[in-house]
Amino acid sequence: MDNIIVGLAGNPNVGKTTLFNQLTGLHQHVGNWPGKTVEKAEGHLNYNDARIDVIDLPGNYALSAHTMEEIVSRDFIVDENSDVIVNIIDATNLERNLYLTVQMMELGANMVIALNMNKLARKKDIYVDVEKMSDLLGVPVVEIEAIDDTGSEKLLKTVEEASKHPIKSNKKLVYGNELKEHLAELQELIKQDKNLLDVPAIWTAIKLLENDKIVTEKVQNSNNSNKILNETERLKKHLQDVFGESSEEVIANGRYSFIDGLLAESVKKPEVEKTSFSEKVDRIVTNRILGLPIFLVVMYLIFEITFTVGAPFQDLLDEGFGLLGEAVASFFGEGWFTSLIVDGIIGGVGGVLVFLPIIILMFLMISILEDTGYLARAAFVMDKVMHKLVGLHGKAFIPMILGFGCGVPGIMATRTMEHERDRLLTMMILPFMSCSARAPVYALFVAAFFTAYEGPIVFSLYILGIVVAILVAAVLKKTMFKGLSTPFVMELPSYKLPSLKGVILHTWEKVRHFIRKAGTIILLTSIIIWILSSVPMGVEYGSQESVTGQIGTAIAPIFEPIGFGEWQPAVALIFGVVAKEVVVSTFGSLFGLDEDNEDGIAGAVSKLFTPLTAYSFMVFVLLYVPCFAAIGTVKQETNSWKWPAVMFAVTTITAYIVSFIVYQGGMLLGFA
Amino acid sequence: MVSRKLNELHPGEEGTILSFSNQGDVGLKRHLLGMGFVKGSKIKVEKVAPLGDPIKLQLKGYSICLRKDEAKNIEVES
Ligand SMILES: Nc1nc2c(ncn2[C@@H]2O[C@H](COP(=O)(O)OP(=O)(O)O)[C@@H](O)[C@H]2O)c(=O)[nH]1
């Protein structure tokens, strides 16, 4: 059986994912590109006698080395043994879509074009002469409709054909005469070095003129490098003189001129475009007066649906695992084995599964927002706030909002952000949004110390979290993320009905991924904590004699300067890393009280803390290491241990500093 | 025909791109060139965000948004 490897390439929002789902259905899985944070979706299907492996490349506007995503796509086309590239283009947005096409033609990719959204185009009175276009490009063009399977048979046939008889896509690509001649000279020099000929020489020539870092470095290692680079410099100057523009502009212009010529001959469209449906919707949705209220309502709905609708399911799962634990306990009786099963394994698995309802709901919400096109509008409306406050892109807002419910879906929602570094920075400050698992801790302490000011005290913690996030973002941007600029260039795609199939497939994939990746980490750490809390043999679970208790006792003095140097808070904080609400039940069990006996726990806690140290403790709980679930999710999303480690360090250090200021400052001011 | 900076256009106004200055982020400029911000392209300011920034533009048959600070490097004729 033949094996054909197909890469799907195209601009964002052209229907790439929809086509991918259409082609591969459930035969797909999502992972990461090796060593990258960029998501990689792979799938396969059988066609005639061939197995076709389909790889969904990141959505790109260009193939420069501008972002990680562009590099991934480019490397795939250049290096990997892909057989055919299917370039999906949107018939309603040809001019810009073809810019990427032209760049792939420069690479001489064995390419087939899938022209999508034809029905929409006809509604807008745009008519494409497919044969003519195919002829002018020297690349097959197949009309498809990604949401149903119109054209998919023909597309697959063309792909199969192309895999047998590769298409040289750079044959018909032409630039203006001036540029062509100069490129030819540079090409000759490049051709003299065989090591540079793994890609078409013309491509290398163009990339040199575009000041592409990666290609320039590669050429620097060539034995012909002097000649080539000198000629490049000379050409750049020459083009500047002739055109009055930098070589990069000349090339972009050259590509667009080629596209203009192509479209003039193959596409008929109205002189003046009708006001589109999207424009009409945008008049309301991004309206000066209505824009913000609409945005707030949408955010409120997402938050409410994710967490309020999710909560009963979470409770149900919680109860279910509780009952299961009791059943196991009554079957095996007391003992370490029962404890392992109940506290370690059932607790751990339960700890993974309770996240499912909110993750599923969050993905449904976000996918709908993303696919309809509103997500981009939300970012448009909120960008100013995010940019001023944390120097981030408007799209960082939604993950942050979700963070108030739970960091796990928040971290996963950062995947809507295109640039890796923005995304990482957003993840790093997300834990400072006070998630709902911290609420029980606040409830315990305000009940014990601040009965008169419960509301304001809790509110102050939420605000503190936001302020700290802003400050930490500012510090990170001066250090780890130095030079991070977050320009706000974002396409506002036209509004569309989302396809249910796509939304569901996508959600299912991500949930599976979460269980497999983050789930393993959560489960493992739960078991490790269980072991540490149960040894040496015979100690009561989690007591001061257990290893956890001993570690807590050993590190307790570290917390002296921030107000709570006893061993109990230290142990509670260790358990709090499993999940923050566990802090409360840990205090309960350390004092030998039932975890439902809230008054009892509050009473016991009030002997250990003063109002000032209680506040300092709450601040620490707010800011220190988020739970293992969040850490595991960061590992899963970034595909490396570096970022979870950074998060661990950043949050712990920040928590210590802020609590220190609170406690020592409070003492100076005479609080106790 | 007057030449102005893109951020100075009012909603509804249209122009043709004249030049793209090298001040500001070159990476961004490169990206925008690819998005169609090349000399001679027609461009229209469609909307300003409710908080006054960014702005929504139309060019080459699609919509894109940009902060004013980024738009000021683009010279248009209108
Ligand atoms: N009307 C129509 N909508 C489509 C078609 N293909 C995709 N869409 C919609 O376009 C939006 C973006 O599609 P998606 O596959 O997520 O785009 P991607 O960003 O390229 O992966 C979704 O709302 C799809 O339902 C199509 O052929 N016709």
Side-chain angles (χ1 to χ4, degrees):
Chain A
M1 197 157 95
D2 286 341
N3 198 353
I4 309 176
I5 298 172
V6 174
L8 295 185
N11 284 184
N13 308 310
V14 295
K16 220 158 53 61
T17 313
T18 312
L19 178 65
F20 178 73
N21 290 336
Q22 191 66 46
L23 291 176
T24 62
L26 280 172
H27 303 284
Q28 54 171 270
H29 74 103
V30 184
N32 279 73
W33 290 87
K36 307 256 165 59
T37 41
V38 182
E39 184 177 286
K40 178 182 192 181
E42 288 175 273
H44 66 86
L45 70 149
N46 293 320
Y47 178 74
N48 292 346
D49 306 323
R51 172 190 157 106
I52 304 188
D53 285 305
V54 188
I55 291 140
D56 194 10
L57 298 172
N60 297 132
Y61 294 106
L63 291 181
S64 53
H66 186 63
T67 61
M68 200 49 85
E69 286 75 8
E70 291 182 359
I71 296 173
V72 163
S73 300
R74 181 162 118 175
D75 287 351
F76 180 86
I77 301 171
V78 175
D79 301 334
E80 309 217 7
N81 32 15
S82 64
D83 295 310
V84 185
I85 299 293
V86 172
N87 175 207
I88 301 142
I89 60 178
D90 173 354
T92 64
N93 193 353
L94 284 170
E95 210 172 339
R96 204 212 52 226
N97 271 243
L98 285 166
Y99 191 80
L100 179 71
T101 310
V102 168
Q103 294 199 321
M104 293 195 279
M105 289 164 72
E106 286 164 0
L107 266 174
N110 182 14
M111 186 163 69
V112 170
I113 290 177
L115 183 67
N116 194 21
M117 317 247 188
N118 295 288
K119 283 187 194 144
L120 270 174
R122 278 192 284 275
K123 261 196 210 136
K124 291 184 162 189
D125 288 328
I126 300 172
Y127 297 92
V128 184
D129 182 342
V130 176
E131 260 164 54
K132 188 89 185 241
M133 182 180 273
S134 165
D135 195 40
L136 292 171
L137 282 169
V139 173
V141 180
V142 182
E143 279 179 287
I144 63 159
E145 214 52 56
I147 36 175
D148 42 49
D149 36 81
T150 311
S152 70
E153 175 66 28
K154 183 154 181 226
L155 180 66
L156 290 173
K157 201 173 161 61
T158 316
V159 166
E160 191 193 27
E161 188 60 34
S163 75
K164 288 188 185 130
H165 309 285
I167 293 145
K168 280 219 100 19
S169 62
N170 51 8
K171 269 197 319 228
K172 298 209 173 170
L173 187 60
V174 285
Y175 302 108
N177 278 336
E178 179 79 28
L179 190 54
K180 189 173 129 197
E181 269 169 39
H182 294 305
L183 281 173
E185 292 163 27
L186 193 51
Q187 267 181 76
E188 281 315 307
L189 288 177
I190 293 167
K191 278 187 189 155
Q192 288 168 15
D193 183 351
K194 274 202 219 70
N195 292 332
L196 294 175
L197 290 182
D198 51 339
V199 284
I202 176 124
W203 187 75
T204 306
I206 290 172
K207 287 292 143 189
L208 285 173
L209 290 178
E210 286 192 306
N211 303 312
D212 187 284
K213 256 210 225 117
I214 297 178
V215 173
T216 309
E217 268 165 32
K218 185 173 152 203
V219 171
Q220 272 161 358
N221 293 325
S222 151
N223 43 26
N224 217 4
S225 70
N226 272 345
K227 270 198 209 157
I228 299 175
L229 294 177
N230 284 343
E231 174 66 10
T232 308
E233 283 313 309
R234 196 189 65 76
L235 258 183
K236 279 192 214 162
K237 274 208 199 72
H238 178 75
L239 291 173
Q240 177 80 43
D241 291 342
V242 175
F243 292 96
E245 284 184 311
S246 69
S247 51
E248 292 184 31
E249 281 161 279
V250 174
I251 287 172
N253 254 321
R255 291 189 185 123
Y256 271 113
S257 313
F258 172 76
I259 295 168
D260 283 346
L262 171 78
L263 293 181
E265 289 190 54
S266 61
V267 177
K268 237 179 49 203
K269 64 176 184 188
E271 213 34 57
V272 188
E273 277 179 48
K274 291 190 278 198
T275 310
S276 64
F277 171 70
S278 291
E279 247 174 279
K280 286 180 200 154
V281 177
D282 267 348
R283 278 187 200 156
I284 302 167
V285 166
T286 59
N287 181 282
R288 197 162 271 263
I289 296 156
L290 294 175
L292 273 175
I294 292 177
F295 168 77
L296 292 175
V297 169
V298 173
M299 283 307 111
Y300 177 78
L301 285 177
I302 295 182
F303 193 89
E304 276 297 300
I305 293 176
T306 305
F307 297 108
T308 314
V309 177
F313 291 101
Q314 285 186 298
D315 291 346
L316 212 65
L317 279 169
D318 233 13
E319 257 169 55
F321 281 100
L323 287 178
L324 186 65
E326 276 168 32
V328 170
S330 66
F331 188 77
F332 290 106
E334 296 267 314
W336 70 269
F337 181 74
T338 307
S339 173
L340 169 66
I341 303 283
V342 174
D343 296 320
I345 297 177
I346 296 181
V349 172
V352 178
L353 296 185
V354 286
F355 286 107
L356 293 193
I358 51 173
I359 290 180
I360 292 173
L361 287 164
M362 182 278 292
F363 268 110
L364 286 176
M365 297 289 111
I366 299 276
S367 303
I368 292 172
L369 282 195
E370 202 171 13
D371 283 5
T372 51
Y374 183 75
L375 191 78
R377 271 71 183 183
F380 176 66
V381 170
M382 276 323 281
D383 180 65
K384 184 156 182 192
V385 175
M386 289 312 283
H387 186 56
K388 280 259 140 64
L389 288 183
V390 279
L392 277 168
H393 192 284
K395 276 192 181 167
F397 196 80
I398 292 174
M400 294 291 186
I401 289 281
L402 288 167
F404 284 111
C406 174
V408 170
I411 291 163
M412 290 178 133
T414 58
R415 50 191 305 290
T416 56
M417 302 173 68
E418 293 104 82
H419 298 300
E420 189 183 22
R421 305 239 296 161
D422 289 10
R423 209 186 149 197
L424 290 171
L425 180 55
T426 309
M427 283 186 201
M428 294 303 117
I429 59 172
L430 223 149
F432 299 129
M433 303 297 112
S434 184
C435 73
S436 57
R438 280 124 160 164
V441 183
Y442 305 156
L444 170 67
F445 280 86
V446 291
F449 293 100
F450 304 103
T451 34
Y453 313 98
E454 289 190 359
I457 290 284
V458 172
F459 189 67
S460 73
L461 289 164
Y462 280 85
I463 299 296
L464 181 72
I466 297 172
V467 172
V468 167
I470 294 170
L471 294 175
V472 171
V475 172
L476 288 177
K477 285 194 82 164
K478 293 230 161 55
T479 50
M480 280 202 84
F481 290 85
K482 208 174 166 109
L484 172 75
S485 74
T486 47
F488 191 62
V489 183
M490 185 183 60
E491 183 182 359
L492 292 161
S494 50
Y495 288 101
K496 290 187 193 79
L497 270 182
S499 95
L500 191 64
K501 183 176 170 188
V503 169
I504 290 173
L505 264 175
H506 186 86
T507 306
W508 162 239
E509 269 314 308
K510 286 309 281 188
V511 168
R512 246 181 46 185
H513 198 58
F514 173 80
I515 297 177
R516 246 193 15 240
K517 291 288 172 54
T520 319
I521 296 170
I522 301 171
L523 184 59
L524 268 179
T525 44
S526 304
I527 292 174
I528 291 172
I529 292 275
W530 178 83
I531 293 172
L532 293 181
S533 308
S534 309
V535 290
M537 279 292 188
V539 297
E540 195 180 325
Y541 183 75
S543 62
Q544 194 179 12
E545 292 73 36
S546 69
V547 172
T548 312
Q550 288 173 26
I551 296 175
T553 310
I555 63 169
I558 300 176
F559 299 111
E560 190 70 54
I562 58 175
F564 37 92
E566 315 284 334
W567 67 273
Q568 293 94 333
V571 173
L573 288 174
I574 295 176
F575 279 102
V577 181
V578 176
K580 295 235 165 151
E581 69 266 26
V582 176
V583 168
V584 176
S585 54
T586 306
F587 276 123
S589 62
L590 291 180
F591 297 121
L593 295 165
D594 189 55
E595 69 176 276
D596 293 329
N597 181 1
E598 276 156 26
D599 292 339
I601 301 177
V605 162
S606 64
K607 298 204 185 73
L608 211 54
F609 290 88
T610 67
L612 179 61
T613 59
Y615 193 77
S616 172
F617 185 77
M618 286 193 284
V619 168
F620 198 85
V621 169
L622 163 68
L623 303 174
Y624 88 123
V625 194
C627 57
F628 282 131
I631 299 262
T633 311
V634 172
K635 160 74 173 69
Q636 167 208 325
E637 292 290 312
T638 61
N639 208 18
S640 103
W641 280 109
K642 177 181 171 191
W643 294 105
V646 170
M647 184 186 253
F648 191 95
V650 167
T651 50
T652 313
I653 294 168
T654 308
Y656 196 85
I657 294 173
V658 180
S659 297
F660 185 84
I661 294 171
V662 166
Y663 178 63
Q664 298 292 344
M667 297 270 277
L668 283 180
L669 293 175
F671 292 106
Chain B
M1 284 284 171
V2 280
S3 119
R4 279 188 290 170
K5 296 194 166 116
L6 181 58
N7 61 326
E8 293 165 359
L9 261 57
H10 296 290
E13 277 190 295
E14 211 173 344
T16 308
I17 295 180
L18 274 181
S19 67
F20 198 145
S21 113
N22 273 324
Q23 270 150 11
D25 184 344
V26 279
L28 174 66
K29 176 175 172 181
R30 195 169 297 160
H31 186 51
L32 287 176
L33 287 175
M35 304 285 284
F37 288 73
V38 291
K39 192 160 81 181
S41 277
K42 283 214 163 27
I43 189 159
K44 178 179 164 187
V45 175
E46 206 182 300
K47 263 197 150 314
V48 178
L51 296 172
D53 203 22
I55 51 179
K56 181 182 179 203
L57 306 163
Q58 246 178 40
L59 87 161
K60 305 228 178 259
Y62 75 101
S63 295
I64 184 169
C65 54
L66 211 59
R67 292 197 192 112
K68 284 183 174 167
D69 199 40
E70 294 150 359
K72 74 168 193 279
N73 292 318
I74 299 167
E75 197 78 27
V76 291
E77 186 172 65
S78 62

